[in-house]
Amino acid sequence: MISRRQLIGAAGAGAGGLLLGGCDRIDALPGVRKVLAIGNEATRLAQRAVTDRAALAPEYGAADMSPKFRVNGNARPSSADYARLLAGGFADWRLGVGGMVARPLSLSLDQLRRMPARTQITRHDCVEGWSAIGQWTGVPLRLLLRQAGLSTQARYIVFRCADDFGGTPYYESIDLVDAFHPQTILAWGMNGQALSVGHGAPLRLRVERQLGYKHAKYVMGLEAVRSFDPIAGGRGGYWEDVSGYQWYAGI
Ligand SMILES: Nc1nc2c(c(=O)[nH]1)N[C@H]1C(S)=C(S)[C@@H](COP(=O)(O)O)O[C@H]1N2
Ligand SMILES: [Mo]
């Protein structure tokens, strides 16, 4: 969330930028150039804080797709429940949409596939230092939130996953700026095929303005919350809780 102070700070920096913009010759003076550069950088960062989160992540063409897209983190949830759902082709799987919504939902994979879909070719950046370009197809998260009647009191969306590390479930959360971003989808397809088990079948989050660990695989349910403090370790995600990864991993 953008605070009032950040907004006011940004407006001030913006005005400063405008004033300086009218005095080009000032940077002919010795030592002034560097100060101006710092001012410009501050303006750029402030502008970015206010406006940039709505910007789209770059999208690529089919020719740019990586021949191999690594499977990372868990490659298959180990629970008996997941094994049963997988064996049944996910016919019995349901996505739960709950928490601070007027109309909790329970949606089958077929229902999700029949909703309007978005397809995007984007670059996945993992914090461990690898990237891959892939094509993702799925339902924009905002459509589900609208259908469920998201409460005006809700501030975050939490994603519950089917997998765990040593008994600790994987989960993630994002704020509403990312939840309503046009490229934020719950993907059921990858590279023109049904999502594979390795990449998060039957459904995984794509939140294209953030690093890889935010893209929850094996999503079983999502929950609208006011705060993620009471959930698990309280930091909003598995890696945030156990390894101190940043909750906001914007790229
Ligand atoms: N449920 C779940 N989601 C997850 C992970 C995981 O282990 N479990 N790993 C994360 C990390 S660190 C990355 S880089 C991506 C990897 O996605 P991929 O296997 O499709 O490449 O998934 C993210 N989402
Ligand atoms: Mo990652």
Side-chain angles (χ1 to χ4, degrees):
M1 282 288 148
I2 295 158
S3 73
R4 191 179 147 80
R5 206 171 52 138
Q6 280 171 310
L7 279 171
I8 291 166
L18 283 178
L19 288 175
L20 288 172
C23 320
D24 285 346
R25 281 166 57 209
I26 215 173
D27 65 27
L29 296 169
V32 171
R33 196 181 290 269
K34 190 163 176 216
V35 175
L36 283 177
I38 293 167
N40 285 340
E41 179 63 3
T43 303
R44 191 185 70 79
L45 289 174
Q47 282 300 119
R48 203 182 136 126
V50 174
T51 60
D52 228 35
R53 292 206 47 209
L56 296 180
E59 293 194 17
Y60 299 82
D64 304 315
M65 282 161 61
S66 303
K68 189 173 160 21
F69 198 117
R70 176 162 155 181
V71 166
N72 206 46
N74 277 324
R76 175 186 295 251
S78 60
S79 75
D81 274 356
Y82 185 84
R84 185 179 51 76
L85 292 167
L86 173 61
F90 297 110
D92 294 334
W93 173 93
R94 294 291 180 275
L95 175 74
V97 179
M100 301 176 76
V101 296
R103 299 174 292 276
L105 308 173
S106 172
L107 299 166
S108 70
L109 200 48
D110 275 349
Q111 284 176 304
L112 290 168
R113 286 200 182 112
R114 282 198 297 266
M115 289 182 70
R118 188 178 204 280
T119 292
Q120 57 205 27
I121 301 177
T122 53
R123 196 186 69 207
H124 179 99
D125 294 306
C126 173
V127 74
E128 292 163 36
W130 60 273
S131 299
I133 295 176
Q135 185 200 59
W136 303 96
T137 301
V139 54
L141 178 58
R142 65 175 192 283
L143 299 184
L144 289 177
L145 298 177
R146 211 164 279 156
Q147 192 174 324
L150 184 67
S151 161
T152 56
Q153 300 295 303
R155 292 183 63 193
Y156 304 98
I157 307 299
V158 179
F159 302 85
R160 308 282 195 172
C161 305
D163 60 320
D164 63 87
F165 286 97
T168 305
Y170 202 95
Y171 78 103
E172 258 304 339
S173 62
I174 59 176
D175 68 13
L176 298 186
V177 176
D178 272 321
F180 282 86
H181 188 282
Q183 289 169 319
T184 298
I185 63 175
L186 284 167
W188 42 258
M190 180 190 185
N191 297 351
Q193 304 197 303
L195 191 62
S196 67
V197 170
H199 290 295
L203 196 73
R204 66 97 53 85
L205 176 65
R206 293 299 307 171
V207 50
E208 303 292 354
R209 300 295 314 281
Q210 294 209 49
L211 288 172
Y213 61 89
K214 301 296 291 187
H215 300 230
K217 306 196 283 189
Y218 316 113
V219 174
M220 305 298 283
L222 50 98
E223 218 177 297
V225 299
R226 173 83 193 156
S227 159
F228 48 74
D229 291 354
I231 298 167
R235 294 183 177 179
Y238 173 80
W239 288 114
E240 290 87 328
D241 285 344
V242 310
S243 295
Y245 283 19
Q246 293 292 311
W247 174 78
Y248 182 69
I251 45 177

